């Protein structure tokens, strides 16, 4: 799980994945990294993240970690795709024209791979971007088969987090009632936004935080949530802390300060290092492994790829993340260990079964 800091060479040499497609996009100054972690279960599928990074190495590091996470995510929901992820590492924010140009060239790169990688949305890319890509390449997944439009995975991911929060509450309290429970949502973007809304609609007392103050206020006003300044997120008492922004928010500095009993959110790579699972366990904070609780978007993609058209069916499948997490929590409890280990064993079993 831990990727070392280093040069591009050191990062790739230390990685357990299969291949990295690298392209420097001279026109925009962006680096494109397509990290292919595994392909023995099927075609590698993962989102495309577009962000400004301090350096190309930071972008590559993100791609490598995220691609490994996709292998685990597909295995934990039993969908026969491989793990992969693309990072379009910007050196500076791009205007609309620059961005569209980059996406067009990215689409051509995807075409040149002839199906070695297929993609969808992630942080920094939008349904509009995916529609643009889909005009140039068939390697954009998650389309509505009737309209041909690219489906926004965000609300499905949010539904999955709801199922995960309920499973965690059932495990600790014996009931999954959200009324009277406080849920702190860190990051109210494409997933955190809908999740905060679903949680409020279910009667939870929602607290929201976002580095973008205007966005936080907009969501908070819309659903009657309390605002939490970013610097207070970790120490604010709540039942559930839902990290829904970038990764590595759970680490040796933040875990001792946490005021929650459950961590369940949509961010990828929430743990800075795998030891952080132990740190949470020692503090008796129940951790829902990120790649399971945030798999709702992936579930939706898997179902759509099987030519499913009914949204009801997709929702049903997403809701199955609840029982999956329950079995992970139960196994972990029995063995007195972090749910992360139970999740890793489940994945090993699935991967073995699929390999055979
Ligand atoms: N980016 C999301 C994730 O990491 C949704 C997604 C899943 C996008 C699968 C493409 C493919 O799960």
């Amino acid at each position: 799980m831990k990727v070392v800091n280093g040069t591009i060479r050191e990062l790739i040499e230390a990685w357990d994945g299969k291949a990295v497609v690298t392209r420097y996009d001279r026109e925009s100054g962006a680096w494109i990294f397509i990290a292919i972690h595994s392909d023995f279960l099927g075609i590698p599928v993962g989102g495309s993240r577009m962000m400004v990074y301090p350096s190309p190495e930071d972008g590559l590091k993100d791609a490598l970690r995220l691609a490994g996470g996709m292998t685990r995510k597909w295995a934990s929901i039993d969908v026969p795709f491989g793990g992969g992820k693309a990072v379009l590492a910007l050196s500076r924010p791009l205007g609309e024209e620059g961005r569209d140009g980059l996406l067009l060239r990215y689409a051509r790169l995807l075409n040149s791979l002839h199906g070695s990688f297929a993609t969808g949305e992630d942080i920094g890319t939008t349904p509009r971007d995916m529609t643009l890509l889909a005009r140039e390449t068939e390697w954009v997944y998650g389309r509505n088969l009737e309209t041909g439009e690219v489906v926004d995975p965000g609300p499905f991911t949010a539904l999955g987090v709801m199922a995960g929060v309920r499973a965690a509450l059932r495990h600790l309290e014996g009931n999954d009632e959200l009324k009277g429970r406080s849920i702190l949502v860190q990051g109210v973007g494409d997933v955190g936004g809908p999740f905060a809304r679903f949680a409020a609609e279910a009667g939870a007392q929602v607290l929201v935080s976002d580095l973008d103050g205007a966005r936080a206020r907009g969501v908070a006003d819309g659903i009657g949530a309390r605002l939490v300044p970013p610097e207070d997120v970790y120490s604010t008492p709540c039942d559930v802390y839902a990290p829904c922004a970038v990764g590595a928010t759970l680490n040796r500095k933040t875990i001792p300060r946490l005021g929650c009993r459950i961590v369940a959110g949509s961010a990828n790579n929430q743990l800075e290092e795998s030891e952080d699972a132990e740190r949470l366990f020692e503090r008796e904070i129940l951790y829902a492994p990120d790649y399971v609780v945030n798999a709702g978007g992936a579930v939706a993609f898997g179902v759509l790829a099987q030519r499913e058209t009914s949204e009801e069916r997709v929702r049903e499948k997403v809701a199955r993340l609840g029982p999956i997490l329950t079995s992970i929590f139960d196994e972990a409890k029995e063995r007195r260990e972090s749910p992360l280990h139970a999740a890793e064993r489940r994945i090993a079993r699935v991967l073995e079964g699929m390999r055979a």
Side-chain angles (χ1 to χ4, degrees):
M1 186 171 305
K2 199 174 172 183
V3 180
V4 294
N5 289 309
T7 62
I8 288 180
R9 174 186 169 173
E10 285 163 340
L11 289 167
I12 293 176
E13 282 184 357
W15 189 51
D16 63 348
K18 195 179 170 205
V20 184
V21 176
T22 303
R23 184 192 206 275
Y24 174 58
D25 185 64
R26 195 165 303 282
E27 292 90 328
S28 64
W31 283 77
I32 303 175
F33 298 108
I34 301 175
I36 294 172
H37 183 258
S38 68
D39 63 356
F40 54 86
L41 293 186
I43 157 169
V45 182
S48 296
R49 178 170 292 199
M50 194 196 295
M51 268 172 53
V52 174
Y53 287 90
S55 74
E57 286 79 4
D58 289 288
L60 172 63
K61 186 174 154 186
D62 218 12
L64 300 180
R65 284 178 42 122
L66 290 162
M70 285 311 297
T71 296
R72 295 189 193 90
K73 193 177 307 195
W74 294 123
S76 45
I77 57 176
D78 241 318
V79 174
F81 283 147
K85 197 91 180 191
V87 164
L88 285 73
L90 308 180
S91 52
R92 56 188 158 83
L94 295 178
E96 197 175 320
E97 217 170 286
R99 181 188 178 87
D100 289 358
L102 172 61
L103 284 169
L104 181 66
R105 293 184 293 278
Y106 174 48
R108 292 192 186 129
L109 178 62
L110 290 174
N111 280 337
S112 74
L113 300 177
H114 298 287
S116 299
F117 175 70
T119 198
E121 245 182 277
D122 197 70
I123 292 179
T125 55
T126 63
R128 177 197 163 271
D129 294 341
M130 290 303 130
T131 304
L132 200 92
L133 275 185
R135 257 188 245 141
E136 295 293 324
T137 177
E138 64 184 287
W139 304 112
V140 175
Y141 277 19
R143 300 193 204 192
N144 179 311
L145 292 172
E146 272 152 16
T147 64
E149 262 173 62
V150 182
V151 175
D152 178 1
F156 292 107
T157 309
L159 268 184
V161 179
M162 285 293 285
V165 166
R166 287 192 191 275
L169 285 169
R170 255 193 323 272
H171 184 76
L172 286 188
E173 314 285 345
N175 77 72
D176 60 9
E177 183 58 61
L178 288 183
K179 277 203 188 71
R181 308 261 183 232
S182 53
I183 302 184
L184 196 166
V185 187
Q186 179 187 37
V188 283
D190 294 334
V191 179
F195 170 64
R197 185 161 46 81
F198 296 158
E201 283 165 3
Q205 180 201 338
V206 180
L207 299 88
V208 303
S209 188
D210 199 295
L211 293 177
D212 179 341
R215 181 156 86 168
R217 235 168 290 121
V219 171
D221 288 349
I223 60 173
R226 202 182 103 201
L227 269 183
V228 175
E231 62 277 16
D232 294 343
V233 162
Y234 304 108
S235 51
T236 298
C238 56
D239 292 305
V240 181
Y241 160 46
C244 296
V246 291
T249 61
L250 298 166
N251 54 52
R252 62 169 76 234
K253 286 199 200 108
T254 58
I255 292 171
R257 299 168 54 202
L258 289 180
C260 62
R261 295 183 305 133
I262 292 168
V263 176
S266 68
N268 280 310
N269 299 334
Q270 293 170 21
L271 306 176
E272 189 168 312
E273 47 183 8
S274 46
E275 290 76 17
D276 294 317
E278 262 53 64
R279 294 190 179 105
L280 288 167
F281 182 69
E282 277 155 28
R283 285 216 49 206
E284 293 181 34
I285 295 172
L286 184 65
Y287 171 61
D290 50 6
Y291 48 79
V292 184
V293 66
N294 74 13
V299 170
F301 273 49
V303 182
L304 291 172
Q306 288 157 354
R307 315 197 66 75
E308 180 58 63
T309 49
S310 129
E311 185 163 328
E312 207 31 53
R313 280 284 298 152
V314 180
R315 286 165 170 276
E316 259 170 52
K317 283 250 183 165
V318 171
R320 287 190 208 158
L321 290 175
I324 292 178
L325 278 161
T326 296
S327 75
I328 288 171
F329 293 146
D330 288 346
E331 186 175 322
K333 186 175 182 186
E334 208 164 290
R335 295 193 177 224
R336 293 175 217 283
E337 64 181 8
S338 163
L340 182 70
H341 301 303
E344 300 280 345
R345 270 197 305 280
R346 176 188 165 87
I347 288 163
R349 286 195 296 268
V350 172
L351 291 179
E352 261 160 44
M354 283 189 177
R355 260 200 198 104

